[in-house]
Amino acid sequence: MFNQNEKDAIYKVIENRRDVRSFLSKPIPESVLQRILEAGHHGPSVGFMQPWNFIIITSDKIKERLAWATDKERRALAIHYENERQQKFLNLKIEGIKEAPITICVTCDPTRGGSHVLGRNSIPETDVLSTACAIQNMWLASCAEGLAMGWVSFYKKNDVRDILDIPPHIDPIALMSLGYTDQYPDKPILESSGWEKRRALENLIYYNRWDNQTKE
Ligand SMILES: Cc1cc2nc3c(=O)[nH]c(=O)nc-3n(C[C@H](O)[C@H](O)[C@H](O)COP(=O)(O)O)c2cc1C
């Protein structure tokens, strides 16, 4: 179905995609934005409910307000850390909303498709999981397009609802900042800043039952 070059390309994008928080003001061509949104909309969803909407934010005024909501949350969350770790946390750059030419608020509508969406009766949060699949598709597409994307989740949902006029039953799942960058990281920023390391995959794989690392 796919030739070797095509296979190599998809793994390359998966490995190279990074969370980015520094952006240039260079505008994003409309056709590229459209392709990225199409990639999101082709994500899988439980019962094919497609619970997402994409709010494209270009207004500086609205970006300012979103940046305020995230900064308020960042300062509130600092209480979870003490001493050096707290300083390290406060030094982390956790968003680039004001710099990025576009931020996309990706929402999830839990009521879409009615009360008996196929498959969602068992695990209700599959609507949010579906939305995350759309987001990952957009993230990979952005990387393939030479664009940087950053996921911002530091906010109180009601602040974002107020700022973007989102109705109370709709979940603002993510603020995805999008733009060109001259600082595309070659490894996760949390890794290069010494906050967290990538775990060894072999320790995360079990065989036949929980915690069994022996291939029988
Ligand atoms: C659900 C989710 C929420 C995230 N929220 C934030 C955030 O609020 N701020 C931030 O700087 N990064 C955020 N990130 C990005 C992660 O920090 C990043 O994915 C992780 O450090 C691994 O780096 P990589 O994406 O470059 O591989 C989020 C990622 C996910 C999947």
Side-chain angles (χ1 to χ4, degrees), residues 14-21 70 92-96 132 135-136 139 149-155 173-176 184-185 187-191 195-196 198:
I14 289 169
E15 273 172 34
N16 284 283
R17 177 215 52 83
R18 292 273 76 82
D19 181 70
V20 180
R21 300 151 206 184
T70 59
L92 290 172
K93 185 169 190 220
I94 50 109
E95 51 87 19
I135 293 170
Q136 176 70 346
W139 217 342
M149 197 169 232
W151 185 320
V152 182
S153 62
F154 278 56
Y155 52 77
I173 302 297
L175 295 171
M176 302 303 295
Y184 205 92
K187 50 181 165 175
I189 294 171
L190 291 187
E191 189 174 345
W195 184 266
E196 195 56 89
R198 189 177 299 284

Side-chain angles (χ1 to χ4, degrees), residues 78-145:
I79 59 158
H80 296 295
Y81 307 101
E82 281 176 14
N83 308 325
E84 259 174 62
R85 192 85 170 152
Q86 183 174 88
Q87 207 41 57
K88 209 166 186 180
F89 171 78
L90 285 168
N91 289 341
L92 290 172
K93 185 169 190 220
I94 50 109
E95 51 87 19
I97 295 175
K98 282 193 276 187
E99 295 164 36
I102 289 179
T103 285
I104 306 171
C105 177
V106 186
T107 59
C108 173
D109 180 353
T111 66
R112 192 159 298 159
S115 46
H116 293 288
V117 166
L118 187 114
R120 210 187 136 221
N121 284 332
S122 323
I123 303 184
E125 61 270 30
T126 44
D127 57 350
V128 172
L129 302 177
S130 305
T131 309
C133 291
I135 293 170
Q136 176 70 346
N137 271 10
M138 291 164 63
W139 217 342
L140 293 172
S142 305
C143 175
E145 296 283 357

